[in-house]
Amino acid sequence: MSSRDLVLARVRQALADVPGGEGPGDGGTGGQGSAGPPVVRDYHRVHGSRTQAQTVDLLAENLADYRAIVHRTDAEGLPGLIGRLLAERGARSVLVPPGLDASWTTGADVTLVEDRVSSTARELDRVDSVLTGCAVAVAETGTLILDAGPGQGRRRITLVPDHHLCVVRVPDQVVGSVPEALPRVAPDRPLTWISGPSATSDIELDRVEGVHGPRTLEVILLSAAQRAD
Amino acid sequence: MSGTYLGMPAFPRAAATATRDTRLRANLTHATRTIRDKRAKAVAELDDWAELRAAGAAVKDRTLRHLDHYLEQLEAAVTAAGGQVHWALDADEANRIVTRLVRETGETEVVKVKSMATQEIGLNEALARAGIRAYETDLAELIVQLGHDRPSHILVPAIHRNRAEIRDIFRREMASWGRPAPEGLTDSPAELAEAARLHLREKFLSAKVGISGANFMVAETGTLVVVESEGNGRMCLTLPETLISVVGIEKVVPEWQDLEIFLQLLPRSSTAERMNPYTSTWTGTTDGDGPQTFHLVLLDNGRTDTLADTVGRQALRCIRCSACLNVCPVYERAGGHAYGSPYPGPIGAILTPQLRGLAGPLEESLPYASSLCGACYEVCPVAIDIPEVLVHLRERVVQGGPVTLGGTRTVLQPAKGHAAERAAMRAAGWAFDHPGALRTGMRLAARTRRLHPRRLPGPGRVWSRTRDLPEVPAESFRDWWQRTRGTSSGRGTWAEPGTSSEPGTSSEQRGDAK
């Protein structure tokens, strides 16, 4: 008997008390004929009611609360803002994932480093900044979700450089809560959820930003209204 | 201090030593109080916490009740996504599998994400015996590893160390593992974190094999989830060519949607954050992004034995948030090492004896490592009734009874050393059945109270060594009631052996007469 078969046999033997009629399913109602506990999803889909603008404000507030630096602009102001932020940091090179809107970097006086599958971690380590979009942002938790889609690139590029500049299109990429976020991303893609810069609380539970991931996370909330002009 | 838990003394002895360590107690008191207050605030932000908690518990229970189904579903989904699934009955088998997988890559160094499962099986030591060096990359695990120490907290393994101790460890040890600590390193947390960053980055950039655990596995999709803060997890999960994840079989959840519950419960319960800085999910392998070879090692190691206990199986709901440690008065004073396993605190007190079986003095002592105050149950985000399981396990220790060990049902014999307790309980049972004897005994105890020793002699010595004997009052409650509420002539109406009147009845009668 293989270990696989043994483990499964032990599981089945351990569950001798579970009635034969009880199916796995989603737990059903837990009513008649079911000895198992019901799975009741009566928690909120979102906490509180907000307008779209208030949801975006909450995102900005919660991002800032975990020491991300938040900026707001429109399509017209975006290249200038990106150029200014990179210049202020003294960044000379910036990583750009495939599929990134080329207009975003027109105001930046830096070397653009295209991410390729062949580029090594050491090469990424020599780059000053990385510029990406995102898939979804979660207001209640101040979280950016990247799903490796166009304009976001591989998981490693937002990890190795010390400065991550992330553009969120508001309000269409912003959801209120974690339950609202999950259906918007596909589990078969690798996901990275980012809430503030890298941090540790391992020394006397004092929170320190910047351990292994980017020490600086800047988020640009790109508003749609003016973008349509 | 050695890196393994073998031969750990039983809890009372280890705790007696730990509680005398004033620096340890100061470090722990500071840390646990800080996190306790922050957690309460983070939880209070969600007005549906009770509903989330109930849903989390129910999803986990449902999954456990059909674990075979979900494990097979998970295996199929991971395999379909390009991963390879291995099954390990126990620690030895898991270590053999991982060692073989690392050897097949030709590498002799691996980078590791902090993982309770690999601590539990002693993977680092097993790899070392095979000539493979495992580098812990979580800051706290690095502190523990460099300090030749053992973790003492689920979430903050170096919670017992303060910043000055950490600086000393870095200065002394970093050079022999790689990049030395920077000159003039101070004990500021920011500088210490920076030293760890520099020290470990070399390892990340050259690592070919990463080893992790997982916080959750989604059966429906084959997705694994790792929740972390520093980015060391992301480094280990994405930079190496080969990823090996060792995960306990209880970590499976049925559906993608279930993550909406646990990704709300876990961060707020553990670090008191709305969300931890980084969460990574991956499903098998992805072309051109991350490791191109992925192995999942599913670990039993006592979990199916735990599952067989209908009271104790709720311990397998645990999502390792460590909230129960931070509120536990016993943990706060004794520290994590006293629990003799990677799982300290209240959850360790029920998990370790179940995973290993009530197999020795340490495991038998752990169900007693609690004041049964219930704070751990209150904060548990998946509502594990830890006090209930503690009492259940105490009964097993004292009385013996049916257990499952290594998949075989057997009857546990009462533990040695509890004979006096059983005798005392039998005597108490007899006394409560014989009210007259009880009354005589209480009076005798009250009259001789000045003569009572602070520690019991003879067979009671073991019991009283770790407890303060209760002081006997000058007058028993029954006598007080008699004196103040009863009639003076009522004294004689209390049941003596051989009389038929019930104490309750006679007192009621007197109440009516008043």
Side-chain angles (χ1 to χ4, degrees):
Chain A
M1 217 178 187
S2 69
S3 293
R4 175 187 188 278
D5 295 340
L6 269 172
V7 172
L8 288 171
R10 285 183 183 186
V11 169
R12 286 173 191 129
Q13 187 192 306
L15 294 172
D17 63 301
V18 176
E22 183 183 310
D26 67 352
T29 60
Q32 262 116 48
S34 166
V39 177
V40 180
R41 295 179 195 269
D42 59 353
Y43 47 84
H44 303 324
R45 302 309 300 164
V46 65
H47 295 86
S49 72
R50 289 177 291 263
T51 63
Q52 269 191 342
Q54 285 169 329
T55 302
V56 172
D57 287 347
L58 182 64
L59 172 68
E61 193 184 309
N62 283 337
L63 281 165
D65 196 36
Y66 282 146
R67 318 270 170 89
I69 305 164
V70 182
H71 310 272
R72 294 185 188 233
T73 188
D74 54 23
E76 209 179 324
L78 185 65
L81 177 61
I82 289 172
R84 178 168 67 79
L85 295 176
L86 291 171
E88 278 172 6
R89 281 188 57 89
R92 286 158 300 168
S93 57
V94 61
L95 250 169
V96 287
L100 191 83
D101 189 330
S103 72
W104 289 5
T105 49
T106 50
D109 183 22
V110 290
T111 309
L112 300 182
V113 181
E114 275 181 44
D115 178 43
R116 295 190 178 85
V117 172
S118 60
S119 48
T120 65
R122 284 188 194 282
E123 284 164 3
L124 300 181
D125 195 32
R126 287 194 285 269
V127 181
D128 295 320
S129 300
V130 57
L131 173 65
T132 72
C134 77
V136 185
V138 189
E140 283 181 10
T141 56
T143 304
L144 311 171
I145 306 180
L146 277 65
D147 69 355
Q152 299 167 48
R154 297 180 297 159
R155 285 170 283 175
R156 54 167 62 182
I157 69 167
T158 54
L159 172 66
V160 182
D162 203 19
H163 176 221
H164 179 197
L165 201 50
C166 184
V167 179
V168 182
R169 291 199 315 270
V170 301
D172 57 303
Q173 285 186 324
V174 184
V175 297
S177 64
V178 171
E180 289 182 340
L182 276 164
R184 298 259 303 239
V185 286
D188 61 347
R189 304 182 75 102
L191 302 184
T192 304
W193 297 42
I194 300 172
S195 310
S198 160
T200 182
S201 302
D202 281 348
I203 302 165
E204 299 182 18
L205 286 166
D206 270 359
R207 199 173 200 269
V208 178
E209 272 80 28
V211 193
H212 303 303
R215 271 178 281 212
T216 309
L217 172 66
E218 293 198 78
V219 182
I220 300 175
L221 303 178
L222 175 65
S223 67
Q226 284 88 344
R227 205 163 54 104
D229 292 350
Chain B
M1 194 174 272
S2 100
T4 69
Y5 296 92
L6 287 176
M8 280 292 295
F11 183 83
R13 259 199 300 146
T17 313
T19 47
R20 281 196 294 270
D21 183 340
T22 51
R23 178 150 73 166
L24 172 73
R25 287 190 61 170
N27 293 352
L28 278 173
T29 303
H30 167 72
T32 53
R33 299 229 164 129
T34 307
I35 192 84
R36 228 182 278 171
D37 298 344
K38 280 170 68 181
R39 181 202 158 273
K41 284 194 197 107
V43 166
E45 278 190 9
L46 300 187
D47 59 359
D48 59 343
W49 188 257
E51 289 80 8
L52 281 167
R53 182 180 188 242
V59 166
K60 280 281 187 173
D61 269 353
R62 268 326 269 211
T63 315
L64 291 170
R65 289 172 76 89
H66 301 280
L67 191 58
D68 50 336
H69 167 82
Y70 290 115
L71 287 173
E72 286 184 304
Q73 193 185 7
L74 173 78
E75 180 187 44
V78 170
T79 308
Q84 295 168 51
V85 179
H86 312 263
W87 300 69
L89 270 177
D90 55 23
D92 282 346
E93 187 172 18
N95 287 331
R96 275 199 308 276
I97 293 169
V98 177
T99 305
R100 174 174 59 79
L101 293 173
V102 176
R103 279 201 171 131
E104 281 170 9
T105 66
E107 296 295 315
T108 53
E109 292 187 347
V110 301
V111 286
K112 278 191 68 204
V113 192
K114 177 172 128 40
S115 132
M116 299 307 296
T118 58
Q119 279 285 352
E120 179 189 319
I121 61 175
L123 178 64
N124 291 7
E125 294 75 18
L127 289 174
R129 286 193 291 276
I132 298 162
R133 206 165 195 191
Y135 294 108
E136 292 292 348
T137 64
D138 172 77
L139 176 53
E141 289 286 3
L142 176 72
I143 295 165
V144 167
Q145 189 173 43
L146 292 178
H148 309 287
D149 198 356
R150 280 179 289 106
S152 71
H153 190 279
I154 289 174
L155 183 79
V156 200
I159 199 169
H160 56 291
R161 299 289 198 184
N162 64 27
R163 59 189 72 190
E165 294 174 276
I166 296 167
R167 179 204 51 204
D168 294 345
I169 291 169
F170 279 12
R171 279 182 175 168
R172 196 175 63 232
E173 300 286 341
M174 267 186 173
S176 58
W177 287 80
R179 185 176 175 139
E183 285 290 316
L185 179 67
T186 75
D187 65 0
S188 97
E191 271 191 45
L192 294 170
E194 176 69 12
R197 179 188 178 100
L198 294 170
H199 178 79
L200 285 171
R201 188 150 280 226
E202 278 307 301
K203 309 262 188 301
F204 289 133
L205 297 182
S206 58
K208 297 282 191 288
V209 182
I211 295 180
S212 83
N215 294 89
F216 307 101
M217 307 185 283
V218 182
E220 143 186 76
T221 61
T223 308
L224 270 75
V225 182
V226 163
V227 167
E228 51 130 1
S229 294
E230 297 172 5
N232 65 304
R234 294 182 60 195
M235 292 272 181
C236 297
L237 297 171
T238 59
L239 296 185
E241 294 161 3
T242 300
L243 172 61
I244 305 166
S245 300
V246 182
V247 190
I249 53 174
E250 82 284 14
K251 292 290 179 84
V252 65
V253 298
E255 298 170 27
W256 181 245
Q257 194 196 348
D258 296 327
L259 293 178
E260 74 190 13
I261 302 169
F262 299 105
L263 289 180
Q264 293 190 78
L265 289 174
L266 180 54
R268 288 179 200 261
S269 297
S270 57
T271 50
E273 291 166 310
R274 293 185 193 101
M275 186 62 80
N276 48 288
Y278 296 128
T279 298
S280 298
T281 80
W282 72 99
T283 306
T285 55
T286 306
D287 279 345
D289 185 354
Q292 295 303 294
T293 307
F294 169 56
H295 298 279
L296 171 60
V297 182
L298 292 172
L299 179 70
D300 179 342
N301 204 36
R303 284 160 178 76
T304 50
D305 290 347
T306 309
L307 190 66
D309 186 318
T310 51
V311 177
R313 78 167 54 132
Q314 58 184 305
L316 296 176
R317 282 188 215 146
C318 177
I319 56 174
R320 314 281 190 257
C321 72
S322 72
C324 63
L325 278 62
N326 300 325
V327 297
C328 178
V330 177
Y331 175 86
E332 185 183 329
R333 286 159 181 84
H337 289 151
Y339 294 80
S341 105
Y343 305 107
I347 187 64
I350 61 170
L351 205 49
T352 305
Q354 296 201 89
L355 291 178
R356 295 190 196 159
L358 289 162
L362 172 71
E363 292 78 12
E364 287 167 2
S365 73
L366 283 175
Y368 293 87
S370 166
S371 63
L372 297 182
C373 74
C376 48
Y377 175 40
E378 242 167 78
V379 297
C380 177
V382 286
I384 301 169
D385 193 342
I386 296 176
E388 182 192 20
V389 182
L390 285 167
V391 171
H392 169 71
L393 293 174
R394 286 182 188 189
E395 188 190 310
R396 278 285 169 282
V397 171
V398 176
Q399 309 273 4
V403 292
T404 304
L405 267 179
T408 307
R409 285 184 193 147
T410 176
V411 175
L412 189 73
Q413 292 307 304
K416 285 181 201 132
H418 289 270
E421 195 175 331
R422 278 196 301 280
M425 285 301 160
R426 270 198 300 275
W430 181 86
F432 285 121
D433 282 342
H434 297 80
L438 179 63
R439 190 186 57 147
T440 310
M442 287 195 299
R443 292 232 175 99
L444 187 65
R447 284 193 200 118
T448 59
R449 58 200 286 263
R450 305 259 169 244
L451 307 170
H452 292 176
R454 296 203 47 221
R455 295 282 172 261
L456 290 174
R461 204 176 57 228
V462 180
W463 191 89
S464 66
R465 195 162 55 205
T466 51
R467 293 168 175 89
D468 293 321
L469 287 183
E471 245 180 70
V472 177
E475 185 181 29
S476 73
F477 175 77
R478 290 169 153 214
D479 284 350
W480 172 83
W481 182 267
Q482 280 288 317
R483 189 164 53 74
T484 57
R485 305 288 159 88
T487 57
S488 55
S489 64
R491 285 175 70 107
T493 66
W494 282 98
E496 294 289 347
T499 68
S500 61
S501 71
E502 292 289 320
T505 324
S506 52
S507 91
E508 271 165 32
Q509 280 163 353
R510 277 194 307 281
D512 292 342
K514 255 191 148 176

